[in-house]
Amino acid sequence: MAMTTPTLQAPPALATTTEPPAVRRGLIAGALAFIALFLVMPLAVVLAEALRRGVGTYFEAITEPYTLAAVKLTLIAAAVAVPLNLVFGLTAAWAIAKFEFRGKSLLITLIDLPFSVSPVIAGLIYTLMFGAQGWVGPWLIEHDVRIIFALPGIVLATVFVTFPFVARELIPLMQDQGTDEEEAAALLGASGWQIFFRVTLPNVKWALLYGVLLCNARAMGEFGAVAVVSGHIRGVTNTMPLHIEILYNEYKFAASFAVASLLALLAVVTLVAKVLLEWRFGHELAHNRGR
Amino acid sequence: MLALRRPSVLPGFGPTLGFALLYLSLIVLIPLAGLFVRSAELGVEGFFAAVSTPRALAAFRLTFGASLLAALVNAFFGLLLAWVLTRYRFPGRRVIDGLVDLPFALPTAVAGIALATLYAPNGWIGSVLDKVGLKIAYTPTGVFVALVFISLPFVVRTIQPVLQDLEPEIEEASASLGADRWQTWRFVVFPVLLPPLLTGFALAFARALGEYGSVIFIAGNLPGLSEIVPLLIFIQLEQYQYANAAAIAAVMLVASFILLLLINVLQRWTAKRHGDE
């Protein structure tokens, strides 16, 4: 990304409303040092370690069968979890933003709940339900259905940790937009689906994309929750983050960082897309984002 | 009698709310409730025995202590970053502004191995600190470093919008009434930033409490010394101590819920303060 030039609307630089130049420079230097230490160096070390043994080793590591199986599993888990939470986000936002009913603020709080639950606990709750010693575990074993240590468990854990992403982008925006346009469409005779696809959806499309982007990044990168329910069966239930852990613990650092670099790339692409969306369509996104 | 909902000409209330509630219950509420039921199987005495073993207590102390310290560090640097990014213009400002969200976007396992490698005795930062006798990786300090990383964006992102909307007029008024710059900052600007600062602090603390992926690589994970609570839950589960794992998790969940409530109150306070200007 290109270095940015100073913008036109620099804040008023009156001596009374800004700090002396020396203080300013000191504060900027402190902030930059903190950023370099905690954000730039971790990103740089991933790249450096991944390429340490050369490009050949790098490509060998990311085309190895177990790595490819991990990539495939990660893509499958995200491909199921993201659309599920997308549909949930849309329905929840429709009910919450377009209607007035009692208990609404409680419902909004409950939707945010998964963000305050530790990923390990997210994995734990499904193990308590579906594990061999869980409530429905024995029944599942009898009927030869596998959830824990199999794909359904991984998908469930991923759905849980990415649960609020789409909903929390859409709800404040759709609340802000109100119901005038939808009501006008309804009075002109549009059906429910017509209102949704022709009025509501075009109004929230960028916020929707924004939520899906963040949801997807988290879905592909989730580690703790998936680690609990996966069982780490190589080539079968190993997602990319889990594969990174296994390689790292086997002291295959270059391979581990090679796989990590793919996820780091995903993170950077997500961030760039996010900034572009905010920059280009900021007024069509929910404001006052807390996190 | 109060109606449950206000009448509307729009269709779809029943199906959408019904689906949202069903999905929320199946994915989140019922499994979470199951956790409390499971830990209740231990009985009151068994529950307290499970959560007060020396190993569990050490893990609680480390997790809460390191999270608190990390949130404090981020309260300070988050305020600094938000201030610098909002008020000053310098080359690369936008890139850095985007980079602040990296801990949200970077998978925790990637952050974990990156930090462990950086702070290992032969790593870029670790080798420098090693010369002055400081060890970070594979010690409790490593836990703190990882938690600083993953909770970094919260304070910045809660303060930034408030700072952006702060009108320069009130600072000008303060200056014209004879306040010097420090007084203006301390008595005019800072009180406005206090509610979002506390909100960001609480969010950062809550996030750090539950963090697992980025910590386990750098921590060393010695029981009683550098073992965090989420890891202890994981280990109990692997040893099929389901009820014990559930009990420890229940304590963490209650702590998270209390924080969530606090955060809600703080956010309402921010919104109120913010709206009054």
Side-chain angles (χ1 to χ4, degrees):
Chain A
M1 218 188 280
M3 291 278 137
T4 44
T5 46
T7 54
L8 293 173
Q9 327 137 302
L14 298 171
T16 49
T17 53
T18 190
E19 291 71 47
V23 174
R24 239 176 351 205
R25 263 179 236 127
L27 293 178
I28 292 176
L32 290 183
F34 186 69
I35 289 280
L37 194 63
F38 276 97
L39 296 181
V40 179
M41 288 185 83
L43 204 54
V45 85
V46 172
L47 205 64
E49 290 291 323
L51 295 172
R52 200 178 182 153
R53 298 275 165 81
V55 181
T57 321
Y58 180 84
F59 282 105
E60 219 167 273
I62 60 173
T63 52
E64 183 233 3
Y66 285 135
T67 305
L68 291 178
V71 173
K72 193 177 147 200
L73 183 61
T74 292
L75 291 176
I76 292 173
V80 180
V82 175
L84 276 177
N85 284 335
L86 169 66
V87 171
F88 166 73
L90 280 170
T91 52
W94 180 266
I96 289 172
K98 303 298 173 192
F99 299 93
E100 289 303 322
F101 57 94
R102 281 211 265 167
K104 190 193 261 193
S105 55
L106 176 68
L107 181 58
I108 296 176
T109 308
L110 288 177
I111 288 173
D112 267 352
L113 203 56
F115 275 158
S116 40
V117 173
S118 169
V120 170
I121 296 179
L124 169 72
I125 57 177
Y126 294 117
T127 311
L128 292 179
M129 288 229 129
F130 304 116
Q133 296 178 30
W135 278 294
V136 283
W139 186 89
L140 290 173
I141 292 169
E142 242 170 64
H143 293 78
D144 205 26
V145 181
R146 286 167 159 267
I147 293 186
I148 299 304
F149 304 152
L151 180 64
I154 292 171
V155 170
L156 268 176
T158 308
V159 167
F160 184 95
V161 295
T162 58
F163 189 88
F165 276 104
V166 179
R168 66 155 38 211
E169 285 309 321
L170 291 182
I171 292 170
L173 178 69
M174 282 169 64
Q175 277 184 318
D176 206 38
Q177 288 171 343
T179 54
D180 294 354
E181 292 185 34
E182 279 84 0
E183 278 166 4
L187 294 177
L188 290 169
S191 74
W193 289 113
Q194 281 175 321
I195 297 174
F196 176 73
F197 281 110
R198 300 210 187 159
V199 179
T200 308
L201 203 56
N203 277 339
V204 299
K205 58 178 187 286
W206 297 115
L208 192 70
L209 180 62
Y210 190 92
V212 165
L213 266 174
L214 298 184
C215 183
N216 179 64
R218 179 70 195 265
M220 292 191 172
E222 179 50 30
F223 177 69
V226 173
V228 174
V229 296
S230 136
H232 295 81
I233 310 161
R234 220 185 276 222
V236 185
T237 62
N238 237 7
T239 61
M240 285 172 81
L242 299 179
H243 194 53
I244 292 171
E245 182 195 20
I246 288 190
L247 291 171
Y248 188 84
N249 288 342
E250 287 173 349
Y251 303 103
K252 293 177 182 159
F253 295 128
S256 174
F257 275 102
V259 181
S261 73
L262 297 178
L263 285 177
L265 180 71
L266 171 75
V268 172
V269 169
T270 305
L271 282 186
V272 171
K274 179 176 170 293
V275 169
L276 287 178
L277 274 176
E278 282 169 1
W279 176 62
R280 178 74 184 75
F281 301 105
H283 55 286
E284 291 179 52
L285 301 174
H287 288 293
N288 244 339
R289 212 159 285 107
R291 52 163 292 161
Chain B
M1 216 181 94
L2 265 169
L4 275 179
R5 86 171 164 104
R6 201 181 293 164
S8 163
V9 295
L10 297 178
F13 177 71
T16 52
L17 186 69
F19 174 78
L21 287 178
L22 180 73
Y23 188 75
L24 177 72
S25 304
L26 288 179
I27 300 284
V28 181
L29 300 182
I30 295 172
L32 275 179
L35 179 101
F36 288 102
V37 175
R38 194 67 185 230
S39 59
E41 281 171 12
L42 287 168
V44 177
E45 271 177 42
F47 183 90
F48 282 105
V51 300
S52 62
T53 60
R55 187 176 177 180
L57 286 179
F60 280 125
R61 242 190 324 264
L62 174 65
T63 300
F64 279 89
S67 300
L68 196 65
L69 269 181
L72 277 173
V73 165
N74 276 325
F76 177 77
F77 280 100
L79 181 60
L80 173 67
L81 269 171
W83 183 266
V84 166
L85 288 172
T86 319
R87 287 300 174 96
Y88 304 150
R89 294 295 174 268
F90 52 94
R93 182 183 66 89
R94 283 209 187 168
V95 177
I96 289 169
D97 191 48
L99 205 59
V100 166
D101 281 330
L102 184 72
F104 287 157
L106 195 68
T108 53
V110 179
I113 61 170
L115 290 171
T117 306
L118 273 179
Y119 287 91
N122 59 352
W124 293 350
I125 302 174
S127 57
V128 178
L129 295 175
D130 204 40
K131 280 183 195 135
V132 292
L134 256 176
K135 290 209 185 310
I136 304 248
Y138 321 121
T139 71
T141 319
V143 177
F144 159 76
V145 168
L147 294 181
V148 169
F149 173 82
I150 56 109
S151 60
L152 188 149
F154 291 97
V155 173
V156 185
R157 292 302 185 228
T158 45
I159 291 186
Q160 256 179 337
V162 178
L163 201 50
Q164 251 151 20
D165 289 352
L166 191 67
E167 284 154 15
E169 284 87 342
I170 64 162
E171 286 168 65
E172 282 163 18
S174 163
S176 69
L177 289 170
D180 64 29
R181 189 60 193 150
W182 168 250
Q183 284 172 324
T184 299
W185 196 87
R186 171 66 189 80
F187 296 107
V188 176
V189 179
F190 185 71
V192 180
L193 300 184
L194 187 62
L197 179 66
L198 289 175
T199 309
F201 173 80
L203 283 168
F205 181 60
R207 170 69 207 263
L209 280 185
E211 179 56 18
Y212 171 76
S214 60
V215 175
I216 56 159
F217 294 97
I218 196 174
N221 307 323
L222 286 173
L225 180 70
S226 53
E227 182 181 63
I228 53 167
V229 176
L231 178 64
L232 180 60
I233 295 172
F234 200 145
I235 290 171
Q236 301 268 18
L237 198 60
E238 282 190 326
Q239 297 169 345
Y240 297 101
Q241 306 278 335
Y242 279 21
N244 286 359
I248 297 169
V251 172
M252 294 307 280
L253 270 182
V254 169
S256 312
F257 292 164
I258 294 172
L259 273 170
L260 192 66
L261 261 173
L262 181 76
I263 290 163
N264 267 337
V265 172
L266 284 170
Q267 274 170 341
R268 231 164 278 166
W269 185 29
T270 310
K272 210 176 127 200
R273 272 279 185 90
H274 209 38
D276 283 347
E277 279 161 38

